[in-house]
Amino acid sequence: MQEKTVVITGSTGGIGKEIARGLAMRGASVVLVGLDPVEGRQAMTELRRDAGHDRIEALVADVTTLDGLAKLASQIAERTDQLDVLVNNVGVNPPARQLTADGVEKTFAAHVLAPFTLTHLLLPQLRQAGSARIVNVTGGIPGGPIERDNLQAEKRFMGWTFSQYNHTKTMTMAMTHRLATELSGTGVCVNVVYPGHGYTPMNRSTSIKAFPKLYRPIAPLVLKVIAPLFLADLARSARPSVYLASSPEVEGITGAYFDSSCRHRPWPASVLDPRNRNAVWDLCTSLSPQSVGGKA
């Protein structure tokens, strides 16, 4: 990863910081992106020390808003004309439906619209790399149905087994599948990775109400006992993203889904349905036309 430049959203803590650590220790220049400037400075200092070089910096951005994404893309463009790797890792898990400043449902904005928009905004830098990689991180329990009439949780945010968090993580996959087709022949590869479960700062602060109703009785046991004991090694959760971002074994591979063991897995049936992919894609293009013009 020497002479490679990497941007990672949601990387001032949790799995994102461990992805940054893994790539920085392989010699990459890393741009951390987070919401809290204090956490950003602390993460930058820590990773510079661990990696043994100072080619790590931190930017502050709210990637759930179009204005935040535009400002972030502008800052990155000021720093480099070539971007080798973009890791869209940021995650949110509110307990109820919330809207961003743009009027977009927040989990959809973070997990689907943000990677879609940031990718398009940074395409000039990604294309300049000649062989760039985009890694979109899914999570939770993805792979369920995609409700085309409920993409922004207009009808329901939570149910007995349904959660908008998992719903949007499946939509991340659908958007990525379509994006890989749109970027075919550009030299930019885009794939999805599942990190497995980790005891992250986001999980530690997750409200019981953010769980589907069926799982709420056991949620305290998971959050307070099981997760701290068995899911605290976030470097393990970061490993598949580091692999997709850096390994020569996946050079040229695009439009693929990899699991937490770095194995190529089939796409879920809901992702393979072109009606679902098109619905998600069309919503993204309608929500950020000023950024992407509806085309890759």
Side-chain angles (χ1 to χ4, degrees):
M1 294 297 289
Q2 296 289 338
E3 300 183 0
K4 301 285 188 181
T5 300
V6 180
V7 171
I8 309 168
T9 66
S11 52
T12 58
I15 294 173
K17 187 168 78 170
E18 295 309 313
I19 296 170
R21 191 192 311 276
L23 294 174
M25 293 183 71
R26 285 165 171 77
S29 299
V30 177
V31 178
L32 308 171
V33 181
L35 197 56
D36 187 321
V38 174
E39 287 185 358
R41 289 193 296 270
Q42 291 173 341
M44 180 181 67
T45 300
E46 176 186 334
L47 296 186
R48 283 180 173 181
R49 181 193 66 225
D50 291 351
H53 65 79
D54 62 0
R55 289 176 287 104
I56 302 167
E57 61 178 316
L59 299 179
V60 177
D62 180 358
V63 299
T64 68
T65 69
L66 294 175
D67 183 62
L69 289 164
K71 289 178 179 177
L72 173 61
S74 178
Q75 288 180 293
I76 294 168
E78 290 172 357
R79 286 162 170 76
T80 182
D81 60 0
Q82 176 177 314
L83 179 58
D84 299 279
V85 179
L86 170 63
V87 181
N88 290 298
N89 165 77
V90 72
V92 300
N93 192 15
R97 191 175 191 265
Q98 299 176 11
L99 299 182
T100 69
D102 303 304
V104 179
E105 192 278 312
K106 190 171 184 177
T107 51
F108 183 91
H111 303 155
V112 189
L113 189 61
F116 172 89
T117 303
L118 190 58
T119 293
H120 283 81
L121 291 173
L122 294 177
L123 270 179
Q125 290 76 31
L126 289 162
R127 284 177 166 146
Q128 188 64 30
S131 181
R133 303 184 187 188
I134 301 169
V135 180
N136 289 338
V137 182
T138 185
I141 307 174
I146 292 176
E147 300 180 351
R148 294 191 296 275
D149 61 348
N150 191 46
L151 298 182
Q152 292 195 72
E154 298 94 337
K155 294 189 174 182
R156 61 170 179 161
F157 184 84
M158 196 73 63
W160 283 102
T161 59
F162 173 90
S163 78
Q164 178 68 352
Y165 180 87
N166 293 332
H167 192 208
T168 56
K169 286 298 187 177
T170 305
M171 284 190 267
T172 301
M173 301 167 77
M175 182 275 293
T176 304
H177 191 291
R178 170 70 182 269
L179 181 60
T181 300
E182 297 288 330
L183 294 178
S184 177
T186 66
V188 180
C189 295
V190 54
N191 297 295
V192 171
V193 67
Y194 181 71
H197 297 287
Y199 191 47
T200 65
M202 184 188 76
N203 289 337
R204 288 197 291 273
S205 63
T206 296
S207 164
I208 299 302
K209 293 182 179 179
F211 286 83
K213 296 175 183 177
L214 183 65
Y215 307 133
R216 288 178 188 176
I218 64 170
L221 175 66
V222 173
L223 290 175
K224 303 298 183 182
V225 179
I226 296 175
L229 285 175
F230 300 104
L231 304 176
D233 182 8
L234 297 184
R236 181 176 59 186
S237 298
R239 197 169 299 133
S241 295
V242 172
Y243 171 77
L244 273 186
S246 63
S247 174
E249 295 179 3
V250 293
E251 179 70 32
I253 294 177
T254 191
Y257 173 41
F258 290 80
D259 67 12
S260 59
S261 298
C262 307
R263 294 173 297 192
H264 192 179
R265 290 298 190 187
W267 292 102
S270 58
V271 172
L272 293 177
D273 187 333
R275 296 172 298 175
N276 293 337
R277 296 198 303 270
N278 292 341
V280 173
W281 186 267
D282 291 347
L283 179 56
C284 287
T285 58
S286 70
L287 291 172
S288 59
Q290 68 275 28
S291 300
V292 303
K295 295 185 181 296

